[in-house]
Structures are given as structure tokens and as C-alpha cells.
Amino acid sequence: LRLKFGRAVVSKLCFKKMDSSRRVNTEEIIHTFDGSCEMSEDVRGAMLVLHAQPEQLRSFRPRALASAALAAASLSPVDGKLLAAVSKQVADLDGSALAAFEPADLTALAWALACANHKDVPTMTAIGCQLADRAWEFSPEQLAKTVLAFAELRLAHQAMMATVSMEIMWKIDQFSPRSLAQMAESCARLDYCKEPLLDWLAARVIGRLDDYSFEDLAAIIWSFAQASIRHAVLFDTIAGRVADAWPDLEEGLLVRFTWAFGKLGVSHPGVMKPL
């Protein structure tokens, strides 16, 4: 009887050890996924385990939670059940626990929800509050990508946008042309277009016009038009560059430029409506 009891205890302990090891391995495997490359078979296997045992997420560290969200959004079809579980885990955390998330983790979480069109308001609100509290920790690219995620989900977080607009002005010389164009368009889509911010943005674009692609310029000019803000110097400067390339521009860009110029009554001899 003692021998059987001893074997049962050892067996139970071994099972617990194996289960704990499996949990650690699942987290470690998923931690490696950042969404920048194709998902490996190991990660796919770990996601199957998580799908069946979402309670494992409770012990996940911030980076692994963000990676799990990215992986769930990257699957085809999207693993909505697991994405909802990650969202609930994040939304239920208090402020001190959320403060442990790095800007890259918060950006990845927001982007995963946006890519999956998973409009989880509590989770995005938590992310927005963190960004509002410590926007200075975010790089320009992280700022642009996080705000773009809010725009994709059509969720406006006023405190976040107020802080972000100040941060853009502070860091405007650190933004790449693409990131600045993304930020301008996201602000317009979220109906958060304050003239001081757009004045700074216009000055930056005018001073480095050649650094911007026509796609970037179209996004910027669309943003000003959407906000009904006519910055004469910016519009005239962009119109001059667009006029030189007008015959060679893609139709989508032609339509966008034409709409923006027309909305604010900007005319230029080299700019015409597409056929």
C-alpha cells in the first residue's frame, strides 16, 4: 500500500513538473514571434496548445502576451477566441502591471487587434491610457503605428491624442517621412486635427519636400483637406511638385490629390482632373 501510495505521489509530482515545463516552453516559443516573418511550425504548435488552454496566458509576461496577440492575428483564419483571451488578460491588469509593458509590447498589441479588426474597447482604452501617461518612451515609429491602430479600429482616445500631438511636435525631426504621413492621416481619420500640430507638420514637409514620396504627400494633403485646413504654402509647394509628375502618377494618387486640391479650392496650372 505504501509502495502504491509512493508511486502515486511521484507520478503526480512528475505530471506537475511536466505541465509546468510545457507552460514555460509554450511561452518561450511564442515569445520568439514578432510578426515580421512567416510563422514557424513550433509557434503554430504552441498556438494550438494555447487555444486549448488559454488559462496559460495568466502566467505570460508582457512580451509573450503581445506575441500571442500577433500570432493569433496572423493565423488564417484569425484565432478570435485566443485574441479575445489575450485582450481580457490585458484589460484586467491594473495600472502597475500595465506599466511593465514596454512600448514595443503595447504597439504590438494594438497592431494585432487592428490587423484582426478586433475592436476590443477595454484593451485599447488601457493601451491608450498607457500611451497618454508615457508617450515620451515611444519611438516615432511606435507612436505612428499605435495611433494608426486606433484609426483602423475607429477608436478615439482623447487623452492619448492630446499627449501624442505634443510628442509629435517635440520629436518631429525624428519622424521618417512615412511615419509622419501615417500620423497625419491617422489624426484626420480620428478627427483630431489641431492647427498647431498641423503647422509644425507643414513646416517639416515644406523644408524636406524631396524626402517624401507621392504616396506620403497624398496622405498629408488629404489630411489637411479632411480637416478643412488650408495651408497655402504647403498646398502650393506640393501642387508644384505634383504638377511635374502628374502624367506619370497612379490613378489612385491622382484622385486623392484632385479631391484634396478641389476641396480647399487650390488651383495650379499643371494639376488637372484625371479622365
Side-chain angles (χ1 to χ4, degrees), residues 81-97:
K81 174 188 172 183
L82 187 53
L83 199 54
V86 174
S87 297
K88 186 177 188 310
Q89 178 70 20
V90 174
D92 288 346
L93 296 174
D94 59 23
S96 61

Side-chain angles (χ1 to χ4, degrees), residues 38-92:
E38 190 172 342
M39 194 180 300
S40 69
E41 289 302 316
D42 285 345
V43 174
R44 288 183 183 277
M47 290 297 290
L48 287 174
V49 172
L50 263 190
H51 183 89
Q53 301 174 357
E55 64 275 7
Q56 288 194 33
L57 293 169
R58 296 172 193 156
S59 63
F60 272 31
R61 290 161 291 182
R63 180 59 53 85
L65 280 173
S67 296
L70 280 175
S74 300
L75 290 170
S76 182
V78 170
D79 191 334
K81 174 188 172 183
L82 187 53
L83 199 54
V86 174
S87 297
K88 186 177 188 310
Q89 178 70 20
V90 174
D92 288 346

Side-chain angles (χ1 to χ4, degrees), residues 111 114 140-158 160-161 164 168 175 178-194 197-198 201 219-220 222-224 226-227 256:
W111 190 242
E141 287 71 24
Q142 289 167 344
L143 286 172
K145 197 166 188 177
T146 305
V147 175
L148 177 58
F150 276 83
E152 289 290 327
L153 292 172
R154 295 176 176 83
L155 290 173
H157 191 294
Q158 295 302 313
M160 179 192 77
M161 293 306 298
V164 164
I168 295 169
F175 277 84
R178 180 86 285 263
S179 293
L180 200 58
Q182 274 185 347
M183 187 64 83
E185 188 168 5
S186 296
C187 287
R189 291 171 64 187
L190 291 170
D191 197 24
Y192 194 92
C193 298
K194 306 298 183 182
L197 171 60
L198 294 183
L201 193 151
I220 290 167
W222 178 88
S223 304
F224 276 77
Q226 184 72 12
R256 208 168 200 201

